[in-house]
């Protein structure tokens, strides 16, 4: 006698794999990370603001310590994502428009 669940397991696994592939193809494109050399070139050409300018703005708004940053190209926009820790030990994720310097978003890490 065959256990009907043992027969269904491979079919269910195949279905989930196919669903995952289909969902992956339909998911929106993720932002592209910009490497250091390209970021330097963009800043030197005046396409984006220097990272240091936005770090200074972030620390003026939220005094503390700069932790890390990365530059992404997302939907035709250059976005700096940075992380700082405030004097009261909150870790904040900030997003800046790298061209205009506008602060776009602030999230607190849990």
């Amino acid at each position: 006698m065959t256990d009907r669940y043992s027969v269904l397991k491979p079919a269910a696994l195949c279905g989930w794999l196919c669903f995952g592939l289909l969902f992956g193809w339909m998911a929106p494109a993720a932002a592209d990370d910009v490497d250091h050399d390209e970021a330097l070139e963009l800043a030197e050409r005046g396409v984006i603001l220097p990272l240091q300018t936005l770090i200074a703005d972030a620390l003026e708004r939220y005094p503390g310590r700069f932790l890390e940053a990365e530059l992404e190209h997302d939907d035709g926009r250059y976005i700096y994502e940075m992380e700082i820790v405030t004097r009261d030990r909150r870790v904040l994720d900030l997003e800046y428009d790298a061209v205009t310097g506008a602060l776009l978003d602030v999230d607190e890490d849990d």
Side-chain angles (χ1 to χ4, degrees):
M1 186 165 164
T2 306
D3 181 13
R4 66 179 169 166
Y5 293 113
S6 65
V7 173
L8 292 177
K9 284 180 185 176
L13 179 60
C14 181
W16 276 111
L17 288 174
C18 291
F19 178 78
L21 290 172
L22 179 63
F23 181 75
W25 287 332
M26 294 186 332
D32 295 323
D33 287 338
V34 178
D35 68 29
H36 293 83
D37 292 331
E38 185 180 355
L40 180 61
E41 179 187 337
L42 290 167
E44 287 175 346
R45 289 189 359 228
V47 174
I48 62 171
L49 294 170
L51 176 60
Q52 191 59 41
T53 302
L54 300 177
I55 292 172
D57 181 76
L59 293 176
E60 185 176 318
R61 292 174 191 252
Y62 305 98
R65 207 170 34 117
F66 169 75
L67 297 176
E68 66 178 342
E70 64 181 37
L71 178 63
E72 292 184 344
H73 191 248
D74 189 13
D75 291 330
R77 274 172 98 171
Y78 287 104
I79 304 291
Y80 278 119
E81 294 182 357
M82 71 176 72
E83 192 171 83
I84 62 170
V85 61
T86 64
R87 289 183 183 153
D88 59 354
R89 299 183 185 264
R90 294 182 303 142
V91 177
L92 301 178
D93 294 321
L94 292 84
E95 287 188 6
Y96 280 91
D97 184 303
V99 174
T100 67
L103 180 60
L104 303 173
D105 191 30
V106 180
D107 290 320
E108 185 171 354
D109 280 353
D110 295 328

